[in-house]
């Protein structure tokens, strides 16, 4: 290039311009950072920016650094992903960019990796910074308690949580990246406001080979490689076997507690406490008064991963959680509304329930009995969805039976959903002149009359009658389990194609003849006699329906392989192999030698090594040590008889036999994962 040529921008300047062009949102956060950089800070010179992985912390730091340089402020950046957490390495990273004394703005990325360096920053480095310098730390986790407990940092430190993008900002970001307009709603819904996920999902969807007319049906589970990448990004560390199972409970449950982990994983209270403490420390888990709640994208990715790894584990875990939640609800202990919502939520990935309701942020719905001040909101909603005559009738029901009204609040404590479900008894007087209530009582009287004190639950109106909110499923599940002396439920659905119709059919309720409502519209009733099928038996049957009505499993990635034996045959072969572990001749006849657990042409020695490695893995896994010990005593290094093994394990023989059966099943699961995904289940 000649001395007289016009200089061109550097690549760095071009990249910075591109970052500025596609950067979206974060208006309030940028305004705060600008004010702290350019104006009186009132003593604040440290900003701790925290949020879940992929929420855009690094992008915000880069944008702020670009603005600082435009204001002629010297900006330095230290990324803890590439810097050892020692004072020497930290100072070296700074000095490589120039004199630390000239730093006007210091940006520290991945602050969650500071570790022991955080104390050095607080006590040594920060007090020596120039008086006009500003430090911004981006971290997955909020500042530690030491920052908040020390009075000298109360004004010097500002903690700033970076939330997910709203749908409008997410759509704008995708348009700036020239994503096809038809793809934007699906990508926005799948990413749950995480900018990095928006980019990855848009790219995966663009590379999808499906025809355009099928693209709207794309879901995260259709891209297992993308799921793996998202989980790697969100978790950063490889969880242990027990931690992975706890993550699956977190994904399935509406709100996760130690009790739920203990029953869902069939582990001890101490182990459940340790696992919940680990979950609580993850950046994408929010701790509330009721329990732990993950980011919605994490839920989706974990469930897609669980179902991709095999139907057996998903079905068993879902079944255990559903059984425990149903039992807890039927015992009528604790908050019945919360328990009912928990039970309805855990089955949401059934095809019918997934299509009927929008489950995003469903954990934020808080049900409670309606109060007088809620009546106007409910009546307005009834009129909007069911007409003026229905609203007048609903007001009569309020005058007759206020407890029949249930409302749901969102995170802002505003009523967003409602349900009107009065209880009727034989010979009751003063009941509003309601054609649907009258038809319900006539039907029950002609079929199986209510006995004295028995009640009929009439679900008359609910919000979202044509779909969207799962509040109706939450409330109905609660009422069916906890209404005293409930004999029959009669649930009214408006329109034959309403989502509630398919949900009630899934729930096993029988459709009755249509009834004309007050405005002449047809109402489709669904009836269930709880005297014939009580709640416990009903929930057991529903559990089977939820499992058998699942859609096909997500396609496996290219690297995955198909098993050579069906699961029942494989599990039985594992049991037989352990029983033959000391008999080389019998072990050489094992069907497992024809699987990918051992190299082709291998013999009993290679298979014995795989089986003993699995025992060792169980013995080293938190919460699984006893199972591994039982296998070791029984088949590897212990005595020859099961009675002697039980004695060595300090267990009664009956308890030993149950634990041995569980241990063999667990070993078969580990071996299946090893067959499909390699030695470490990757």
């Amino acid at each position: 290039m000649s001395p007289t040529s016009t200089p061109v921008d550097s690549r760095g300047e071009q990249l910075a311009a591109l970052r500025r062009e596609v950067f979206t949102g974060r208006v309030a956060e940028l305004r705060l950072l600008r004010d702290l950089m350019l104006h009186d800070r009132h003593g604040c010179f440290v900003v701790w920016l925290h949020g879940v992985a992929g929420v855009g912390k690094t992008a915000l730091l880069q944008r702020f650094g670009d603005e600082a340089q435009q204001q002629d402020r010297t900006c330095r950046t230290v990324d803890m992903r590439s810097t050892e957490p020692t004072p020497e390495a930290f100072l070296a990273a700074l000095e490589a960019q120039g004199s630390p004394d000239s730093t006007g703005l210091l940006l520290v990325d991945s602050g969650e990796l500071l570790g022991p360096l955080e104390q050095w920053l607080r006590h040594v480095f920060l007090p020596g910074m120039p008086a006009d310098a500003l430090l911004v730390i981006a971290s997955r986790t909020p500042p530690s308690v030491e920052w908040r407990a020390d009075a000298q940092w109360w004004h010097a430190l500002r903690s700033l949580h970076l939330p997910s993008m709203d749908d409008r900002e997410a759509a704008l970001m995708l348009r700036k990246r020239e994503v096809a307009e038809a793809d934007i709603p699906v990508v926005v819904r799948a990413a749950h406001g995480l900018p990095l996920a928006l980019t990855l999902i848009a790219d995966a969807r663009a590379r999808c080979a499906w025809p355009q007319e099928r693209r709207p049906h794309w879901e995260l589970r259709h891209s297992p490689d993308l799921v793996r990448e998202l989980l790697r990004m969100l978790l950063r560390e490889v969880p242990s076997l027990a931690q992975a199972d706890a993550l699956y409970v977190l994904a399935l449950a509406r709100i996760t507690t130690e009790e739920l982990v203990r029953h869902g994983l069939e582990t001890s209270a101490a182990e459940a406490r340790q696992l919940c403490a680990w979950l609580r420390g993850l950046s994408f888990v929010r701790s509330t008064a009721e329990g732990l709640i993950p980011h919605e994208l994490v839920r989706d990715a974990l469930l897609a991963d669980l179902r991709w790894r095999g139907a057996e584990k998903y079905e068993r875990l879902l079944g255990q959680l559903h059984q425990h939640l149903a039992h807890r609800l039927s015992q009528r202990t604790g908050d019945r509304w919360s328990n009912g919502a928990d039970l309805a939520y855990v089955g949401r990935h059934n095809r019918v329930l997934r299509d009927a309701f929008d489950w995003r942020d469903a954990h934020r719905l808080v049900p409670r009995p309606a109060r007088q001040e809620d009546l106007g909101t409910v009546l307005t909603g009834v009129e909007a969805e069911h007409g003026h005559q229905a609203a007048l009738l609903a007001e009569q029901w309020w005058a007759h039976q206020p407890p029949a009204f249930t409302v749901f609040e969102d995170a802002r404590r505003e009523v967003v959903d409602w349900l009107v479900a009065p209880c009727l008894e034989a010979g009751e007087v003063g009941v509003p002149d309601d054609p649907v209530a009258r038809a319900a009582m006539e039907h029950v009287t002609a079929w199986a009359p209510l006995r004295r004190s028995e009640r009929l639950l009439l679900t008359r109106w609910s919000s979202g009658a044509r779909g969207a909110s799962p509040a109706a499923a939450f409330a109905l599940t609660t009422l069916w389990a906890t209404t005293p002396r409930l004999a029959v439920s009669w649930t009214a659905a408006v329109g034959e194609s309403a989502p509630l119709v398919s949900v009630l059919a899934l729930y096993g309720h029988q459709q009755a003849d249509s009834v004309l409502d007050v405005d002449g519209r047809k109402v489709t009733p669904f009836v269930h006699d709880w005297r014939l099928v009580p709640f416990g038996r009903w929930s057991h049957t529903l559990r089977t329906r939820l499992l058998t009505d699942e859609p096909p499993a997500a396609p496996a990635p290219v690297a995955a392989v198909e098993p050579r034996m069906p699961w029942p045959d494989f599990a039985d072969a594992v049991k037989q192999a352990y029983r033959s572990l000391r008999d080389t001749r019998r072990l050489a006849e094992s069907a497992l030698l024809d699987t990918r657990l051992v190299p082709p042409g291998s013999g009993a020695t290679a298979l014995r090594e795989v089986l003993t490695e699995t025992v060792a893995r169980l013995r080293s896994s938190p919460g699984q040590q006893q199972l591994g010990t039982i296998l070791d005593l029984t088949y590897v290094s212990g005595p020859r008889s099961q009675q002697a093994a039980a004695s060595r394990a300090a267990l009664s023989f009956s308890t030993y036999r149950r634990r041995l059966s569980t241990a063999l099943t667990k070993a078969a699961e580990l071996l299946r994962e090893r067959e499909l995904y390699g030695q470490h289940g990757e």
Side-chain angles (χ1 to χ4, degrees):
M1 191 161 106
S2 68
T4 59
S5 300
T6 303
V8 298
D9 291 340
S10 68
R11 291 298 184 191
E13 291 170 332
Q14 291 175 348
L15 291 173
L18 181 60
R19 285 199 302 267
R20 289 192 294 271
E21 181 180 343
V22 301
F23 188 87
T24 306
R26 309 309 187 193
V27 175
E29 291 82 4
L30 280 173
R31 182 186 301 116
L32 173 63
L33 291 172
R34 290 189 197 107
D35 288 344
L36 291 173
M37 182 174 65
L38 301 175
H39 304 106
D40 183 13
R41 304 173 187 165
H42 302 288
C44 174
F45 64 95
V46 179
V47 178
W48 194 289
L49 182 71
H50 58 95
V52 67
V55 79
K57 301 182 296 294
T58 299
L60 182 56
L61 282 188
Q62 291 173 337
R63 174 60 181 268
F64 189 46
D66 291 342
E67 292 198 4
Q69 291 178 344
Q70 290 176 342
Q71 297 291 333
D72 294 327
R73 300 293 296 269
T74 303
C75 179
R76 313 285 191 216
T77 301
V78 178
D79 191 338
M80 296 309 301
R81 288 172 295 186
S82 56
T83 305
E84 289 293 326
T86 64
E88 295 78 12
F90 189 90
L91 291 174
L94 275 181
E95 291 169 353
Q97 303 171 66
S99 173
D101 294 337
S102 64
T103 302
L105 174 66
L106 174 56
L107 306 176
V108 177
D109 204 357
S110 299
E112 69 276 2
L113 300 179
L114 284 167
L117 192 62
E118 188 176 330
Q119 184 176 0
W120 174 81
L121 281 176
R122 189 167 55 248
H123 294 296
V124 178
F125 180 79
L126 292 179
M129 282 182 66
D132 62 342
L134 177 65
L135 169 65
V136 182
I137 300 175
S139 171
R140 294 187 178 190
T141 56
S144 63
V145 68
E146 287 77 12
W147 291 93
R148 291 168 283 164
D150 193 334
Q152 67 178 336
W153 292 105
W154 288 356
H155 299 294
L157 173 73
R158 177 74 64 88
S159 179
L160 185 62
H161 175 253
L162 192 62
S164 299
M165 284 183 165
D166 60 31
D167 288 355
R168 181 188 60 80
E169 290 176 331
L172 178 59
M173 174 182 165
L174 293 173
R175 290 188 181 98
K176 287 184 177 181
R177 293 174 180 263
E178 300 181 350
V179 174
E181 193 68 28
D183 287 349
I184 288 178
V186 179
V187 176
V188 168
R189 180 182 176 86
H192 297 286
L194 291 190
L196 183 55
L198 285 165
T199 302
L200 294 177
I201 294 172
D203 178 63
R205 185 168 165 80
R207 290 186 285 106
C208 181
W210 294 359
Q212 184 67 32
E213 61 271 14
R214 290 186 59 197
R215 282 193 173 188
H217 300 289
W218 181 91
E219 296 178 13
L220 187 59
R221 63 190 180 89
H222 295 145
S223 300
D225 289 336
L226 173 59
V227 170
R228 177 184 296 184
E229 181 64 20
L230 287 172
L231 290 179
R232 184 196 64 78
M233 174 192 74
L234 292 165
L235 284 171
R236 182 171 284 172
E237 60 179 297
V238 178
S240 68
L241 182 65
Q243 289 171 342
D245 287 345
L247 283 169
Y248 294 142
V249 172
L250 183 78
L252 280 167
R254 187 179 71 96
I255 298 176
T256 299
T257 61
E258 289 183 13
E259 174 196 354
L260 206 56
V261 171
R262 178 164 58 89
H263 286 277
L265 302 183
E266 296 182 319
T267 188
S268 66
E271 176 68 11
R273 187 175 303 111
Q274 292 177 1
L275 290 172
C276 282
W278 176 76
L279 291 174
R280 190 179 295 112
L282 298 175
S283 66
F284 53 77
V285 175
R286 182 164 56 92
S287 184
T288 70
E290 294 149 313
L292 305 178
I293 301 172
H295 191 279
E296 288 297 310
L297 177 64
V298 178
R299 285 192 191 274
D300 293 347
L302 285 171
L303 284 176
D305 182 68
L306 172 60
R307 294 170 67 184
W308 171 74
R309 288 182 176 272
E312 300 92 354
K313 192 169 193 175
Y314 169 77
E315 291 176 357
R316 186 181 68 255
L317 186 54
L318 176 61
Q320 289 171 181
L321 291 174
H322 193 276
Q323 181 180 12
H324 171 67
L325 292 170
H327 175 74
R328 188 175 67 182
L329 178 60
S330 64
Q331 294 301 303
R332 303 181 185 180
T333 57
D335 185 342
R336 65 170 184 151
W337 295 108
S338 180
N339 291 341
D342 290 343
L343 180 60
Y345 185 87
V346 79
R348 69 194 181 282
H349 270 267
N350 174 275
R351 181 188 296 276
V352 172
L353 293 171
R354 191 172 68 245
D355 292 345
F357 302 124
D358 182 356
W359 295 91
R360 291 184 302 172
D361 295 328
H363 61 274
R364 299 182 185 275
L365 293 175
V366 180
R368 63 168 174 81
R371 299 187 286 261
Q372 179 66 47
E373 57 266 28
D374 303 318
L375 180 58
T377 300
V378 175
L379 294 181
T380 300
V382 172
E383 181 168 5
E385 295 198 31
H386 303 279
H388 180 66
Q389 293 297 319
L392 294 176
L393 188 54
E395 190 170 13
Q396 296 179 40
W397 276 113
W398 173 266
H400 177 71
Q401 197 175 124
F405 288 64
T406 302
V407 297
F408 289 78
E409 295 178 336
D410 62 7
R412 298 166 297 179
R413 305 302 297 272
E414 296 179 359
V415 174
V416 292
D417 288 297
W418 41 265
L419 179 131
V420 181
C423 284
L424 305 174
E425 297 183 17
E428 186 175 359
V429 297
V431 177
D433 185 16
D434 185 336
V436 176
R438 188 165 55 250
M441 289 300 293
E442 290 174 354
H443 176 92
V444 173
T445 300
W447 175 35
L450 297 176
R451 294 187 290 268
R452 185 175 181 181
S453 79
E454 287 185 338
R455 309 171 84 185
L456 180 148
L457 178 69
L458 172 65
T459 303
R460 192 61 177 88
W461 301 285
S462 63
S463 60
R466 303 192 181 279
S469 174
F474 290 176
L476 289 175
T477 304
T478 303
L479 292 171
W480 292 337
T482 62
T483 299
R485 308 185 307 279
L486 178 61
V488 178
S489 61
W490 178 288
T491 307
V494 179
E496 296 181 357
S497 61
L500 192 57
V501 170
S502 59
V503 171
L504 291 168
L506 171 69
Y507 284 172
H509 291 213
Q510 300 300 311
Q511 183 174 335
D513 293 337
S514 297
V515 178
L516 292 180
D517 208 340
V518 286
D519 59 357
R521 288 189 296 176
K522 283 187 177 181
V523 171
T524 304
F526 283 81
V527 186
H528 184 84
D529 193 324
W530 299 97
R531 299 166 296 187
L532 298 177
V533 183
F535 184 81
R537 196 190 316 166
W538 171 83
S539 63
H540 177 79
T541 304
L542 175 62
R543 186 156 60 248
T544 303
R545 289 197 188 98
L546 292 173
L547 294 173
T548 57
D549 194 36
E550 284 294 317
V558 175
V561 294
E562 289 296 326
R564 295 178 177 177
M565 272 196 290
W567 166 249
D569 295 343
F570 183 87
D572 184 65
V574 169
K575 294 178 183 178
Q576 295 301 327
Y578 273 111
R579 291 166 184 164
S580 307
L581 196 63
R582 295 170 177 169
D583 188 333
T584 302
R585 181 182 57 81
R586 290 180 59 193
L587 191 60
E589 298 173 354
S590 173
L592 295 179
L593 290 172
D594 294 327
T595 69
R596 294 181 177 88
L597 287 174
V598 294
S602 298
T605 301
L607 180 57
R608 182 183 292 112
E609 183 177 347
V610 170
L611 295 173
T612 53
E613 284 178 1
T614 302
V615 173
R617 184 180 175 187
L618 272 174
R619 295 188 72 182
S620 64
S621 297
Q624 310 294 335
Q625 295 95 331
Q626 187 187 57
L627 299 180
T629 299
I630 288 174
L631 288 178
D632 180 71
L633 290 174
T634 306
Y635 301 117
V636 182
S637 62
R640 293 285 179 173
S641 71
Q642 291 191 357
Q643 289 83 357
S647 178
R648 288 275 300 275
L651 297 172
S652 68
F653 190 65
S654 60
T655 301
Y656 160 82
R657 292 294 299 273
R658 290 195 301 271
R659 299 286 171 82
L660 177 60
S661 177
T662 302
L664 287 169
T665 300
K666 196 69 177 180
E669 291 177 356
L670 294 179
L671 288 165
R672 182 64 132 192
E673 288 191 2
R674 179 168 178 164
E675 179 195 23
L676 296 178
Y677 318 120
Q679 184 171 355
H680 302 292
E682 298 177 349

